[in-house]
Amino acid sequence: MADVEELLDGVPVRLAPAQAVRARGERRRARQRMGGVVAVAVIAATAVGIGSWTDPTPGPRGSQVASEGENPFMSHGVVQDLKPSELPRYAALHWKGDEKASDASALPQAGLDSVCNGRPGGVRAPEQQFTHTYSGKGDARARHRVAQYANTAEALDAVRRLGETLGDCGLKEHKGGGYSGPTNGNGRRLEVSVQRWGAWVRVVETQYSPPS
């Protein structure tokens, strides 16, 4: 069997030491494994993003920001109201629609029956707002508001000022979104959830007297 130098017609060839060859092979296999891990990580990140709530722009912790896509507050161009059974604490408070007592106050006003008094302080009114109020067991009241502002900046300002109003009213802001707590001097508990999609904001408020 001819050696390497004979096959190359007298051209000398220096073969790398066996240790160096093995090291190059290990580096090549490591790069292949790393490429596979990166691909899996990208797929996992994409899967988590589907249908989730994200916060691509700065805003109060107590609000949630919907990811890109169709307006989650509308269906076929119509703002969707909440059924009484979709409100928090339905099993205990037995919500019913209360068309006669509609309270269409704009943000940063919060709470019903004057349990919280916000200070508008330069907040621009929404271009349009859809409001539905509900009554429940005892003195329980609830309200669902969906408002469209002229732009995202105005929506963010309204949400921020709402957070200030709720804080002044005695409510605590939750890291995962929303506010809750007893209102100052009124003996009632108020729970508020806030969601934003671009220039649209949805606020759901439920207030009731805690069981004694």
Side-chain angles (χ1 to χ4, degrees), residues 64-150:
Q64 292 181 321
V65 183
S67 56
E68 294 182 1
E70 295 183 0
N71 189 332
F73 313 139
M74 302 183 71
S75 178
H76 303 292
V78 178
V79 173
Q80 296 299 291
D81 208 348
L82 292 180
K83 299 177 182 177
S85 59
E86 295 176 316
L87 291 171
R89 303 184 180 276
Y90 172 75
L93 298 175
H94 308 294
W95 299 111
K96 294 182 180 179
D98 191 357
E99 300 294 345
K100 294 181 180 179
S102 179
D103 185 341
S105 300
L107 301 184
Q109 296 291 335
L112 297 102
D113 303 328
S114 301
V115 297
C116 269
N117 292 314
R119 301 186 299 273
V123 176
R124 292 185 178 275
E127 293 195 334
Q128 57 178 336
Q129 178 171 296
F130 305 85
T131 304
H132 193 183
T133 54
Y134 310 80
S135 58
K137 184 177 179 180
D139 60 358
R141 300 285 308 280
R143 177 169 55 188
H144 175 219
R145 289 181 285 177
V146 177
Q148 180 188 21
Y149 290 84

Side-chain angles (χ1 to χ4, degrees), residues 139-164:
D139 60 358
R141 300 285 308 280
R143 177 169 55 188
H144 175 219
R145 289 181 285 177
V146 177
Q148 180 188 21
Y149 290 84
N151 51 58
T152 299
E154 291 186 10
L156 280 168
D157 187 44
V159 170
R160 179 177 60 81
R161 292 297 186 91
L162 172 63
E164 294 174 356

